[in-house]
Amino acid sequence: MAPNDSAQTTDGNFAAGRRKAARYIVPVAVAGVAAATIGLVPALADSGDPDLPKITAQQLVEKMAASDTQQLSGNVKISTDLGIPSLGGIADSLAPRGGDEGSSADPQARLMELASGTHTLRVAADGPDKQRVSVLGDAAEYSLIHNGGEVWAYDSASNEAFHTKAPAEAKGSGKDSGKHEKLPEGVPTTPKGLAEEALKAADDTTSVTVDGTTQVAGRDAYQLLVEPKQSGSTIGSVRVAVDAENGVPLKFTLTPSSGGKAAIDVGFTKVDFGKPSADTFTFTPPKGAKVTEGDDGPKAREKDFGKDFKGEEGLKDFEGLNVIGKGWTSVAEISSPGGEAGAGSEAPEAGDVPPQAQQFMDALGDKVSGEFGSGTVFETRLVNALMTDDGKVYVGAVTKDALVRAADAAK
Amino acid sequence: MSRAETTVRQENPRARSPLWTLGLLRSELTTTFRRWRTLALLAVLAAVPVLIGIAVKIETGDGSPAGGGGGGDGAGPAFLTQITNNGLFLVFAALAATLPVFLPMAVGVVAGDAVAGEANAGTLRYLLVAPAGRTRLLLAKFTSTMVFCLVATLVVAVSALVTGALLFPLGEVTTISGTRIGFGDGLVRAVLIAAVVAASLVGLAAIGLFVSTLTNSGVAAMATTVGLLITVQILDTVPQLDAIHPYLFTHHWLSFTDLLREPLYWDEVLDNLGLQALYAAVFGSAAWARFTTKDITA
């Protein structure tokens, strides 16, 4: 048993050496099997796309619209890669939190964090009056709870809570439109909210097709493929996985036309259409928590949220705003740099920047020139902005060339 | 009559062998826990929650909230802001504070010393004189190291609970989801979390044991184990190495905080336990391969 014995003799040396080597096969085999399992199990578990009856795009959209699922709970994973180094830092500088301005539990500041990186959310909904969204952080959680007329936000890391009254119409309209999981703040964090946004834009500029079937969170789903017919858009395609049974959108993927990783990917990783327990939606501020009452109405905030997630919509707040083109390739033209730079716009106005900052910004963007004159283009994976030297800003989800064309046309 | 005889006959050989194994394990446990070094390590671990508790108590003595007052960015160890409201949170805060450094260091010392220390002291060959077999001796060493993981975690948890109960009020626990659970429920979660934290250390214990079989110097084995731990923790913070992060044994360590959510969020905790089991299997069998074929000269 002990190699000491066999190693004594010269004859035994070779055999003992072989036996020694043989034992090391065990850990190597264990590691190998583990590596193979990690590599193969996802491939094997992906047992092909489910076999579902054929359906047209029209029927599928109707199915979604007719969906009256009011109760669900589950986990949602959000990955965003907008090609901005770290929006977290930008968000911090644009929307200061924690200081005198407000509580760290203020939803306005916190939800901007979702615009970059990967986050896990827990959602639960029970009818139009009760919803809950929690962002799971490291050893902390940020929860938004809507229950009847009350909206609470709670940040466990700083033990701060934020309280406001829900807008009256959110209660009523929720029932009619079946927007069961739409928070009064209007944050499209769930697949359904985002799918509605994408379909709203669907007209003759858009092709909507059913692109096979898939499985999301263990449920069979149809894939709705939405593609722009126009060229020049930075948006390549939008895919929405729709539950085959009840028409609830389960996954939303936005791929930029430049290819690569999805720019926005929101999907359920676990979903349950049973009734969530009632105490999921009850919230009383814990002992010692600092509670901030929301001072401005939730409606104002609603606008701001839209701005965070849909740059173009937010830009409507700007004065002198002019939309060029239509559909996917519409470009917003902002002529007066008087307005304060909003949280949603990537390009600050040229007018009041010191020369050093101007230099720095030139380094970030590309110089372009055309009939409109010359300017600087700032590119992200989805939204591009052209800042002309005479102070106009063109922003749109279009390529650099399309942006220049729009600027030329506007001249 | 005859039935009674057969049961007696069957029981005897069965009963003997596990008892024998337990005897070896028991002697391993007593040598481990009677060492002054082990006791000193446990004393240091017990002191950490006391220090945190006193610091929080002094800082909040004037009624200001913990966690840097107006900062409120959630900086510093997790759960610090909650301690003043509920002493039970000192358990979670203390575990979150000790898990990255103190606990694994203690485990690294004990695991690294397990075989190499005996070899260094010249007692390993005497251990092997006993007709126990190397595999069984290694199993006993590994088990006693795991028992140490559990004991070390419990020492931190119990010390934190006692300190928390003495310095701060106890009562209903607010989960990090903002919901409330009863104190009894909270205690159950604390026990569950302590168990998960102890299990998080199993991977490191297996690595330590493997390193320990490679060398005859106890100090070298301890230093290597702790060095590996630090290296892995640094690697875990490098964003460019994103792809390998999920396979680093420290990556999911702080996932135990998911057990404070309501409802419980198991995904990452299960990832962690699976990863620890994998490390234990790979490095445990590597330690076995090395130890059973090694020439014992000391």
mmCIF file of all heavy atoms in Angstrom, chain A residues 27-71:
data_model
loop_
_atom_site.group_PDB
_atom_site.id
_atom_site.type_symbol
_atom_site.label_atom_id
_atom_site.label_comp_id
_atom_site.label_asym_id
_atom_site.label_seq_id
_atom_site.Cartn_x
_atom_site.Cartn_y
_atom_site.Cartn_z
ATOM 1 N N PRO A 27 -7.709 13.259 -10.282
ATOM 2 C CA PRO A 27 -8.072 14.683 -10.270
ATOM 3 C C PRO A 27 -8.221 15.272 -11.666
ATOM 4 O O PRO A 27 -9.103 16.100 -11.900
ATOM 5 C CB PRO A 27 -6.914 15.355 -9.522
ATOM 6 C CG PRO A 27 -5.822 14.362 -9.490
ATOM 7 C CD PRO A 27 -6.457 13.013 -9.553
ATOM 8 N N VAL A 28 -7.347 14.821 -12.585
ATOM 9 C CA VAL A 28 -7.440 15.344 -13.952
ATOM 10 C C VAL A 28 -8.787 14.962 -14.558
ATOM 11 O O VAL A 28 -9.458 15.781 -15.197
ATOM 12 C CB VAL A 28 -6.276 14.810 -14.814
ATOM 13 C CG1 VAL A 28 -6.475 15.202 -16.270
ATOM 14 C CG2 VAL A 28 -4.955 15.339 -14.297
ATOM 15 N N ALA A 29 -9.201 13.701 -14.309
ATOM 16 C CA ALA A 29 -10.480 13.244 -14.844
ATOM 17 C C ALA A 29 -11.625 14.041 -14.237
ATOM 18 O O ALA A 29 -12.545 14.459 -14.949
ATOM 19 C CB ALA A 29 -10.662 11.757 -14.561
ATOM 20 N N VAL A 30 -11.551 14.269 -12.926
ATOM 21 C CA VAL A 30 -12.631 15.030 -12.274
ATOM 22 C C VAL A 30 -12.729 16.420 -12.885
ATOM 23 O O VAL A 30 -13.817 16.891 -13.250
ATOM 24 C CB VAL A 30 -12.393 15.123 -10.748
ATOM 25 C CG1 VAL A 30 -13.393 16.072 -10.118
ATOM 26 C CG2 VAL A 30 -12.498 13.756 -10.114
ATOM 27 N N ALA A 31 -11.560 17.074 -13.058
ATOM 28 C CA ALA A 31 -11.558 18.413 -13.638
ATOM 29 C C ALA A 31 -12.078 18.373 -15.069
ATOM 30 O O ALA A 31 -12.864 19.232 -15.485
ATOM 31 C CB ALA A 31 -10.145 18.995 -13.601
ATOM 32 N N GLY A 32 -11.647 17.334 -15.809
ATOM 33 C CA GLY A 32 -12.074 17.214 -17.200
ATOM 34 C C GLY A 32 -13.573 17.022 -17.320
ATOM 35 O O GLY A 32 -14.237 17.681 -18.126
ATOM 36 N N VAL A 33 -14.091 16.143 -16.477
ATOM 37 C CA VAL A 33 -15.536 15.887 -16.511
ATOM 38 C C VAL A 33 -16.296 17.161 -16.169
ATOM 39 O O VAL A 33 -17.291 17.507 -16.814
ATOM 40 C CB VAL A 33 -15.908 14.740 -15.537
ATOM 41 C CG1 VAL A 33 -17.415 14.690 -15.321
ATOM 42 C CG2 VAL A 33 -15.394 13.418 -16.063
ATOM 43 N N ALA A 34 -15.770 17.883 -15.167
ATOM 44 C CA ALA A 34 -16.445 19.123 -14.770
ATOM 45 C C ALA A 34 -16.442 20.123 -15.916
ATOM 46 O O ALA A 34 -17.469 20.731 -16.225
ATOM 47 C CB ALA A 34 -15.760 19.727 -13.546
ATOM 48 N N ALA A 35 -15.271 20.272 -16.561
ATOM 49 C CA ALA A 35 -15.171 21.224 -17.673
ATOM 50 C C ALA A 35 -16.114 20.824 -18.799
ATOM 51 O O ALA A 35 -16.817 21.662 -19.371
ATOM 52 C CB ALA A 35 -13.739 21.294 -18.183
ATOM 53 N N ALA A 36 -16.140 19.504 -19.084
ATOM 54 C CA ALA A 36 -17.014 19.027 -20.149
ATOM 55 C C ALA A 36 -18.477 19.291 -19.793
ATOM 56 O O ALA A 36 -19.273 19.698 -20.644
ATOM 57 C CB ALA A 36 -16.786 17.538 -20.380
ATOM 58 N N THR A 37 -18.814 19.075 -18.517
ATOM 59 C CA THR A 37 -20.193 19.291 -18.093
ATOM 60 C C THR A 37 -20.573 20.751 -18.255
ATOM 61 O O THR A 37 -21.640 21.075 -18.769
ATOM 62 C CB THR A 37 -20.370 18.879 -16.617
ATOM 63 O OG1 THR A 37 -19.654 17.673 -16.414
ATOM 64 C CG2 THR A 37 -21.819 18.675 -16.291
ATOM 65 N N ILE A 38 -19.657 21.644 -17.818
ATOM 66 C CA ILE A 38 -19.955 23.069 -17.927
ATOM 67 C C ILE A 38 -20.148 23.453 -19.392
ATOM 68 O O ILE A 38 -21.040 24.214 -19.748
ATOM 69 C CB ILE A 38 -18.826 23.902 -17.284
ATOM 70 C CG1 ILE A 38 -18.824 23.697 -15.774
ATOM 71 C CG2 ILE A 38 -18.977 25.384 -17.620
ATOM 72 C CD1 ILE A 38 -17.607 24.216 -15.069
ATOM 73 N N GLY A 39 -19.291 22.843 -20.253
ATOM 74 C CA GLY A 39 -19.371 23.182 -21.663
ATOM 75 C C GLY A 39 -20.559 22.553 -22.373
ATOM 76 O O GLY A 39 -21.170 23.164 -23.237
ATOM 77 N N LEU A 40 -20.860 21.314 -21.993
ATOM 78 C CA LEU A 40 -21.840 20.559 -22.769
ATOM 79 C C LEU A 40 -23.268 20.689 -22.265
ATOM 80 O O LEU A 40 -24.197 20.682 -23.054
ATOM 81 C CB LEU A 40 -21.468 19.070 -22.776
ATOM 82 C CG LEU A 40 -20.320 18.685 -23.703
ATOM 83 C CD1 LEU A 40 -20.051 17.199 -23.629
ATOM 84 C CD2 LEU A 40 -20.644 19.082 -25.132
ATOM 85 N N VAL A 41 -23.440 20.819 -20.956
ATOM 86 C CA VAL A 41 -24.802 20.791 -20.424
ATOM 87 C C VAL A 41 -25.703 21.867 -21.028
ATOM 88 O O VAL A 41 -26.820 21.575 -21.434
ATOM 89 C CB VAL A 41 -24.798 20.835 -18.882
ATOM 90 C CG1 VAL A 41 -26.144 21.249 -18.337
ATOM 91 C CG2 VAL A 41 -24.410 19.479 -18.336
ATOM 92 N N PRO A 42 -25.190 23.112 -21.155
ATOM 93 C CA PRO A 42 -26.069 24.106 -21.790
ATOM 94 C C PRO A 42 -26.441 23.704 -23.210
ATOM 95 O O PRO A 42 -27.574 23.912 -23.640
ATOM 96 C CB PRO A 42 -25.215 25.378 -21.787
ATOM 97 C CG PRO A 42 -24.199 25.155 -20.745
ATOM 98 C CD PRO A 42 -23.926 23.686 -20.736
ATOM 99 N N ALA A 43 -25.464 23.099 -23.924
ATOM 100 C CA ALA A 43 -25.730 22.689 -25.295
ATOM 101 C C ALA A 43 -26.758 21.557 -25.336
ATOM 102 O O ALA A 43 -27.635 21.519 -26.198
ATOM 103 C CB ALA A 43 -24.441 22.248 -25.970
ATOM 104 N N LEU A 44 -26.636 20.621 -24.385
ATOM 105 C CA LEU A 44 -27.560 19.490 -24.358
ATOM 106 C C LEU A 44 -28.936 19.929 -23.866
ATOM 107 O O LEU A 44 -29.959 19.462 -24.351
ATOM 108 C CB LEU A 44 -27.018 18.384 -23.455
ATOM 109 C CG LEU A 44 -25.767 17.688 -23.987
ATOM 110 C CD1 LEU A 44 -25.274 16.654 -22.991
ATOM 111 C CD2 LEU A 44 -26.067 17.018 -25.316
ATOM 112 N N ALA A 45 -28.913 20.822 -22.861
ATOM 113 C CA ALA A 45 -30.187 21.272 -22.296
ATOM 114 C C ALA A 45 -30.984 22.046 -23.346
ATOM 115 O O ALA A 45 -32.205 22.068 -23.310
ATOM 116 C CB ALA A 45 -29.936 22.151 -21.079
ATOM 117 N N ASP A 46 -30.251 22.660 -24.272
ATOM 118 C CA ASP A 46 -30.916 23.393 -25.340
ATOM 119 C C ASP A 46 -31.443 22.375 -26.345
ATOM 120 O O ASP A 46 -30.870 22.161 -27.393
ATOM 121 C CB ASP A 46 -29.907 24.341 -25.985
ATOM 122 C CG ASP A 46 -30.565 25.263 -26.989
ATOM 123 O OD1 ASP A 46 -31.797 25.392 -26.930
ATOM 124 O OD2 ASP A 46 -29.847 25.814 -27.823
ATOM 125 N N SER A 47 -32.531 21.734 -26.010
ATOM 126 C CA SER A 47 -32.999 20.574 -26.759
ATOM 127 C C SER A 47 -33.737 20.998 -28.018
ATOM 128 O O SER A 47 -34.779 20.466 -28.360
ATOM 129 C CB SER A 47 -33.908 19.723 -25.876
ATOM 130 O OG SER A 47 -34.907 20.544 -25.313
ATOM 131 N N GLY A 48 -33.215 21.974 -28.694
ATOM 132 C CA GLY A 48 -33.855 22.435 -29.916
ATOM 133 C C GLY A 48 -35.044 23.322 -29.616
ATOM 134 O O GLY A 48 -35.520 23.398 -28.484
ATOM 135 N N ASP A 49 -35.505 24.019 -30.639
ATOM 136 C CA ASP A 49 -36.641 24.904 -30.446
ATOM 137 C C ASP A 49 -37.926 24.098 -30.379
ATOM 138 O O ASP A 49 -38.077 23.096 -31.063
ATOM 139 C CB ASP A 49 -36.687 25.902 -31.605
ATOM 140 C CG ASP A 49 -35.448 26.777 -31.612
ATOM 141 O OD1 ASP A 49 -34.889 26.980 -30.528
ATOM 142 O OD2 ASP A 49 -35.035 27.221 -32.700
ATOM 143 N N PRO A 50 -38.841 24.536 -29.542
ATOM 144 C CA PRO A 50 -40.082 23.783 -29.383
ATOM 145 C C PRO A 50 -40.901 23.770 -30.680
ATOM 146 O O PRO A 50 -40.805 24.688 -31.500
ATOM 147 C CB PRO A 50 -40.810 24.530 -28.276
ATOM 148 C CG PRO A 50 -40.190 25.878 -28.235
ATOM 149 C CD PRO A 50 -38.786 25.708 -28.668
ATOM 150 N N ASP A 51 -41.670 22.699 -30.831
ATOM 151 C CA ASP A 51 -42.489 22.533 -32.028
ATOM 152 C C ASP A 51 -43.870 23.117 -31.749
ATOM 153 O O ASP A 51 -44.659 22.546 -31.004
ATOM 154 C CB ASP A 51 -42.595 21.027 -32.335
ATOM 155 C CG ASP A 51 -42.835 20.783 -33.801
ATOM 156 O OD1 ASP A 51 -42.710 21.741 -34.580
ATOM 157 O OD2 ASP A 51 -43.146 19.635 -34.143
ATOM 158 N N LEU A 52 -44.142 24.273 -32.329
ATOM 159 C CA LEU A 52 -45.412 24.935 -32.074
ATOM 160 C C LEU A 52 -46.144 25.128 -33.394
ATOM 161 O O LEU A 52 -45.514 25.203 -34.447
ATOM 162 C CB LEU A 52 -45.166 26.300 -31.425
ATOM 163 C CG LEU A 52 -44.519 26.286 -30.035
ATOM 164 C CD1 LEU A 52 -44.109 27.687 -29.631
ATOM 165 C CD2 LEU A 52 -45.472 25.715 -29.008
ATOM 166 N N PRO A 53 -47.468 25.209 -33.353
ATOM 167 C CA PRO A 53 -48.217 25.450 -34.587
ATOM 168 C C PRO A 53 -47.804 26.780 -35.220
ATOM 169 O O PRO A 53 -47.491 27.738 -34.518
ATOM 170 C CB PRO A 53 -49.673 25.491 -34.117
ATOM 171 C CG PRO A 53 -49.629 25.600 -32.638
ATOM 172 C CD PRO A 53 -48.344 25.004 -32.198
ATOM 173 N N LYS A 54 -47.833 26.816 -36.547
ATOM 174 C CA LYS A 54 -47.434 28.044 -37.270
ATOM 175 C C LYS A 54 -48.401 29.176 -36.942
ATOM 176 O O LYS A 54 -49.582 28.961 -36.681
ATOM 177 C CB LYS A 54 -47.467 27.772 -38.777
ATOM 178 C CG LYS A 54 -46.277 26.974 -39.261
ATOM 179 C CD LYS A 54 -45.254 27.889 -39.936
ATOM 180 C CE LYS A 54 -44.070 27.105 -40.476
ATOM 181 N NZ LYS A 54 -43.218 26.604 -39.388
ATOM 182 N N ILE A 55 -47.874 30.372 -36.978
ATOM 183 C CA ILE A 55 -48.672 31.528 -36.604
ATOM 184 C C ILE A 55 -48.152 32.725 -37.395
ATOM 185 O O ILE A 55 -46.961 32.812 -37.686
ATOM 186 C CB ILE A 55 -48.574 31.739 -35.073
ATOM 187 C CG1 ILE A 55 -49.538 32.813 -34.584
ATOM 188 C CG2 ILE A 55 -47.175 32.071 -34.651
ATOM 189 C CD1 ILE A 55 -49.613 32.866 -33.069
ATOM 190 N N THR A 56 -49.016 33.628 -37.781
ATOM 191 C CA THR A 56 -48.553 34.808 -38.513
ATOM 192 C C THR A 56 -48.175 35.903 -37.522
ATOM 193 O O THR A 56 -48.543 35.851 -36.347
ATOM 194 C CB THR A 56 -49.649 35.358 -39.435
ATOM 195 O OG1 THR A 56 -50.709 35.848 -38.610
ATOM 196 C CG2 THR A 56 -50.178 34.293 -40.368
ATOM 197 N N ALA A 57 -47.450 36.883 -38.035
ATOM 198 C CA ALA A 57 -47.023 37.984 -37.176
ATOM 199 C C ALA A 57 -48.234 38.715 -36.615
ATOM 200 O O ALA A 57 -48.271 39.097 -35.445
ATOM 201 C CB ALA A 57 -46.139 38.944 -37.961
ATOM 202 N N GLN A 58 -49.253 38.880 -37.490
ATOM 203 C CA GLN A 58 -50.465 39.570 -37.075
ATOM 204 C C GLN A 58 -51.117 38.863 -35.883
ATOM 205 O O GLN A 58 -51.450 39.473 -34.868
ATOM 206 C CB GLN A 58 -51.429 39.618 -38.272
ATOM 207 C CG GLN A 58 -52.770 40.237 -37.977
ATOM 208 C CD GLN A 58 -52.638 41.729 -37.741
ATOM 209 O OE1 GLN A 58 -51.791 42.387 -38.324
ATOM 210 N NE2 GLN A 58 -53.474 42.254 -36.865
ATOM 211 N N GLN A 59 -51.239 37.539 -36.025
ATOM 212 C CA GLN A 59 -51.853 36.757 -34.937
ATOM 213 C C GLN A 59 -51.051 36.872 -33.647
ATOM 214 O O GLN A 59 -51.608 36.939 -32.555
ATOM 215 C CB GLN A 59 -51.946 35.284 -35.346
ATOM 216 C CG GLN A 59 -53.083 34.997 -36.309
ATOM 217 C CD GLN A 59 -52.955 33.601 -36.879
ATOM 218 O OE1 GLN A 59 -51.865 33.169 -37.262
ATOM 219 N NE2 GLN A 59 -54.056 32.883 -36.946
ATOM 220 N N LEU A 60 -49.730 36.882 -33.825
ATOM 221 C CA LEU A 60 -48.881 36.921 -32.641
ATOM 222 C C LEU A 60 -49.014 38.256 -31.911
ATOM 223 O O LEU A 60 -49.110 38.298 -30.675
ATOM 224 C CB LEU A 60 -47.423 36.676 -33.052
ATOM 225 C CG LEU A 60 -46.430 36.497 -31.910
ATOM 226 C CD1 LEU A 60 -46.873 35.391 -30.969
ATOM 227 C CD2 LEU A 60 -45.047 36.202 -32.445
ATOM 228 N N VAL A 61 -49.052 39.342 -32.684
ATOM 229 C CA VAL A 61 -49.201 40.653 -32.061
ATOM 230 C C VAL A 61 -50.558 40.746 -31.374
ATOM 231 O O VAL A 61 -50.689 41.274 -30.271
ATOM 232 C CB VAL A 61 -49.028 41.770 -33.110
ATOM 233 C CG1 VAL A 61 -49.343 43.118 -32.495
ATOM 234 C CG2 VAL A 61 -47.611 41.764 -33.653
ATOM 235 N N GLU A 62 -51.576 40.175 -32.029
ATOM 236 C CA GLU A 62 -52.902 40.162 -31.408
ATOM 237 C C GLU A 62 -52.899 39.380 -30.107
ATOM 238 O O GLU A 62 -53.491 39.780 -29.117
ATOM 239 C CB GLU A 62 -53.908 39.529 -32.370
ATOM 240 C CG GLU A 62 -54.477 40.519 -33.361
ATOM 241 C CD GLU A 62 -55.309 39.824 -34.416
ATOM 242 O OE1 GLU A 62 -55.767 38.692 -34.164
ATOM 243 O OE2 GLU A 62 -55.461 40.411 -35.484
ATOM 244 N N LYS A 63 -52.193 38.273 -30.158
ATOM 245 C CA LYS A 63 -52.100 37.439 -28.965
ATOM 246 C C LYS A 63 -51.500 38.229 -27.812
ATOM 247 O O LYS A 63 -51.956 38.155 -26.672
ATOM 248 C CB LYS A 63 -51.213 36.232 -29.296
ATOM 249 C CG LYS A 63 -51.351 35.053 -28.362
ATOM 250 C CD LYS A 63 -50.349 33.989 -28.794
ATOM 251 C CE LYS A 63 -50.508 32.698 -28.068
ATOM 252 N NZ LYS A 63 -51.596 31.848 -28.472
ATOM 253 N N MET A 64 -50.482 39.024 -28.160
ATOM 254 C CA MET A 64 -49.856 39.841 -27.126
ATOM 255 C C MET A 64 -50.834 40.885 -26.604
ATOM 256 O O MET A 64 -50.932 41.120 -25.402
ATOM 257 C CB MET A 64 -48.624 40.551 -27.689
ATOM 258 C CG MET A 64 -47.455 39.649 -27.903
ATOM 259 S SD MET A 64 -46.227 40.455 -28.937
ATOM 260 C CE MET A 64 -45.581 41.650 -27.805
ATOM 261 N N ALA A 65 -51.559 41.510 -27.548
ATOM 262 C CA ALA A 65 -52.475 42.567 -27.155
ATOM 263 C C ALA A 65 -53.621 42.010 -26.327
ATOM 264 O O ALA A 65 -54.112 42.651 -25.402
ATOM 265 C CB ALA A 65 -53.009 43.266 -28.403
ATOM 266 N N ALA A 66 -54.033 40.780 -26.677
ATOM 267 C CA ALA A 66 -55.166 40.187 -25.987
ATOM 268 C C ALA A 66 -54.773 39.586 -24.643
ATOM 269 O O ALA A 66 -55.624 39.200 -23.859
ATOM 270 C CB ALA A 66 -55.796 39.114 -26.868
ATOM 271 N N SER A 67 -53.488 39.497 -24.427
ATOM 272 C CA SER A 67 -53.023 38.855 -23.197
ATOM 273 C C SER A 67 -53.584 39.567 -21.982
ATOM 274 O O SER A 67 -53.459 40.781 -21.840
ATOM 275 C CB SER A 67 -51.502 38.897 -23.165
ATOM 276 O OG SER A 67 -51.052 38.605 -21.880
ATOM 277 N N ASP A 68 -54.251 38.820 -21.147
ATOM 278 C CA ASP A 68 -54.817 39.454 -19.960
ATOM 279 C C ASP A 68 -54.191 38.900 -18.688
ATOM 280 O O ASP A 68 -54.816 38.875 -17.644
ATOM 281 C CB ASP A 68 -56.337 39.283 -19.942
ATOM 282 C CG ASP A 68 -56.730 37.822 -19.929
ATOM 283 O OD1 ASP A 68 -55.836 36.982 -20.119
ATOM 284 O OD2 ASP A 68 -57.920 37.529 -19.732
ATOM 285 N N THR A 69 -52.960 38.455 -18.818
ATOM 286 C CA THR A 69 -52.271 37.951 -17.642
ATOM 287 C C THR A 69 -52.059 39.088 -16.653
ATOM 288 O O THR A 69 -51.466 40.104 -16.993
ATOM 289 C CB THR A 69 -50.913 37.352 -18.029
ATOM 290 O OG1 THR A 69 -51.125 36.420 -19.066
ATOM 291 C CG2 THR A 69 -50.265 36.670 -16.850
ATOM 292 N N GLN A 70 -52.593 38.927 -15.482
ATOM 293 C CA GLN A 70 -52.507 39.977 -14.482
ATOM 294 C C GLN A 70 -51.528 39.629 -13.373
ATOM 295 O O GLN A 70 -51.084 40.489 -12.644
ATOM 296 C CB GLN A 70 -53.888 40.199 -13.852
ATOM 297 C CG GLN A 70 -54.947 40.622 -14.844
ATOM 298 C CD GLN A 70 -54.972 42.113 -15.025
ATOM 299 O OE1 GLN A 70 -54.904 42.862 -14.058
ATOM 300 N NE2 GLN A 70 -55.051 42.571 -16.248
ATOM 301 N N GLN A 71 -51.253 38.363 -13.254
ATOM 302 C CA GLN A 71 -50.432 37.943 -12.124
ATOM 303 C C GLN A 71 -49.192 37.242 -12.638
ATOM 304 O O GLN A 71 -49.284 36.328 -13.458
ATOM 305 C CB GLN A 71 -51.222 36.984 -11.239
ATOM 306 C CG GLN A 71 -52.392 37.666 -10.588
ATOM 307 C CD GLN A 71 -53.384 36.683 -10.032
ATOM 308 O OE1 GLN A 71 -53.405 35.526 -10.420
ATOM 309 N NE2 GLN A 71 -54.203 37.150 -9.131
#
